């Protein structure tokens, strides 16, 4: 009976009952653990900013934002397509099809770049409609939260640019594509949460919740 070589699947061992070398899950790499830690910090940061936004709604001087400009809808579509391209690239890379994955990585990077451009255009549209940074608390939070998300997107674009320039050809490049895909998926989820928080959450609902826990009618000084 021909048995696979020990170590062919990583930390494998011989199972006497089945007469096979079962596949053991690959140990998590330091890069994977580091990315999870970084994404955990990201989520905590955005959660704290979101809580501050919700608490600020309880103040009497709060004014709701206007309907989102079309650029923000375009941004959402671009980021969703970019995340999909990363997912397809990661799938190709896992199959060892790195040349095909490389094209998808470039597409995902370009879509991410267009996302940033669309966000900057949305900022201009909001400012032109009278909602600049200093026009009110809601507008200030809009620029703060979208700017914070844009900074994390810029970091992801830098990592994607490095991956594109080195032209993925080796096994560890496949792992890097998978890590980028995970990061992009988190960026998409955070953006959807921010979009809903800024434009779809009724202030009355937040005020009722704040009233239920004793936060009512705070006057801004």
């Amino acid at each position: 009976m021909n048995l696979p070589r020990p170590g062919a699947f990583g930390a494998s061992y011989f199972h006497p009952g089945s007469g096979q070398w079962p596949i053991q899950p690959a140990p998590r790499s330091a890069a994977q653990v580091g990315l999870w830690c970084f994404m955990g910090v990201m989520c905590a940061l955005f959660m704290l900013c979101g809580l501050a936004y919700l608490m600020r709604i309880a103040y009497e001087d709060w004014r709701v934002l206007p309907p989102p400009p079309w650029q923000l809808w375009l941004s959402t579509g671009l980021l969703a397509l970019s995340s999909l391209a990363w997912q397809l690239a990661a799938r190709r890379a896992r199959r060892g099809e790195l040349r095909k994955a490389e094209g998808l990585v470039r597409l995902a990077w370009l879509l991410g770049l267009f996302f940033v451009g669309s966000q900057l255009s949305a900022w201009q549209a909001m400012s032109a409609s009278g909602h600049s940074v200093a026009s009110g608390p809601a507008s200030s939070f809009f620029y703060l939260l979208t700017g914070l998300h844009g900074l994390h997107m810029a970091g992801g674009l830098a990592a994607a640019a490095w991956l594109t320039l080195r032209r993925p050809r080796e096994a560890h490049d496949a792992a890097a594509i998978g890590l980028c895909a995970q990061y992009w998926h988190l960026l998409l989820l955070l953006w959807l949460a921010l979009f809903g928080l800024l434009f779809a959450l009724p202030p009355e609902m937040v005020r009722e919740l704040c009233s239920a826990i004793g936060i009512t009618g705070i006057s801004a000084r």
Side-chain angles (χ1 to χ4, degrees):
M1 178 173 57
N2 295 325
L3 298 175
R5 290 181 293 101
F9 304 116
S12 58
Y13 61 90
F14 180 68
H15 191 281
S18 61
Q20 296 179 346
W21 295 92
I23 299 175
Q24 296 298 300
R28 300 297 180 188
S29 66
Q32 177 71 78
V33 174
L35 178 63
W36 282 355
C37 291
F38 181 70
M39 291 195 301
V41 173
M42 277 179 61
C43 291
L45 176 62
F46 278 95
M47 185 177 68
L48 290 174
C49 290
L51 287 175
Y53 175 83
L54 293 176
M55 293 183 67
R56 188 61 181 82
I57 292 178
Y59 282 67
E60 293 177 346
D61 64 338
W62 185 265
R63 298 294 180 271
V64 297
L65 289 170
W70 63 268
Q71 290 92 339
L72 291 182
W73 293 105
L74 177 62
S75 297
T76 305
L78 289 170
L79 188 54
L81 290 175
S82 181
S83 183
L84 176 61
W86 275 113
Q87 181 62 32
L88 294 176
R91 183 179 300 177
R92 295 282 188 183
R94 283 196 300 270
R95 294 174 180 172
E97 302 171 352
L98 288 175
R99 288 186 180 276
K100 295 180 180 178
E102 182 182 354
L104 290 167
V105 167
R106 290 180 178 177
L107 175 62
W109 182 80
L110 281 175
L111 289 170
L113 202 61
F114 291 154
F115 169 83
V116 174
S118 182
Q119 292 292 84
L120 293 176
S121 178
W123 279 15
Q124 292 179 345
M126 289 287 289
S127 180
S129 65
H131 295 85
S132 61
V133 178
S135 63
S139 297
S140 300
F141 266 101
F142 167 77
Y143 290 99
L144 170 66
L145 294 174
T146 55
L148 190 61
H149 183 271
L151 283 177
H152 287 85
M153 172 61 77
L157 286 173
W162 170 81
L163 186 60
T164 302
L165 291 175
R166 62 178 279 111
R167 299 178 67 87
R169 290 290 182 272
E170 302 176 7
H172 62 268
D173 292 326
I177 293 174
L179 294 177
C180 285
Q182 293 176 28
Y183 184 72
W184 238 258
H185 297 339
L186 178 62
L187 286 175
L188 175 60
L189 291 176
L190 287 174
W191 170 247
L192 292 176
L194 289 179
F195 197 93
L197 187 69
L198 291 169
F199 295 104
L201 186 65
E204 294 76 15
M205 180 187 298
V206 178
R207 292 191 180 110
E208 288 180 4
L209 178 62
C210 290
S211 177
I213 60 176
I215 303 175
T216 57
I218 302 174
S219 299
R221 296 181 178 178

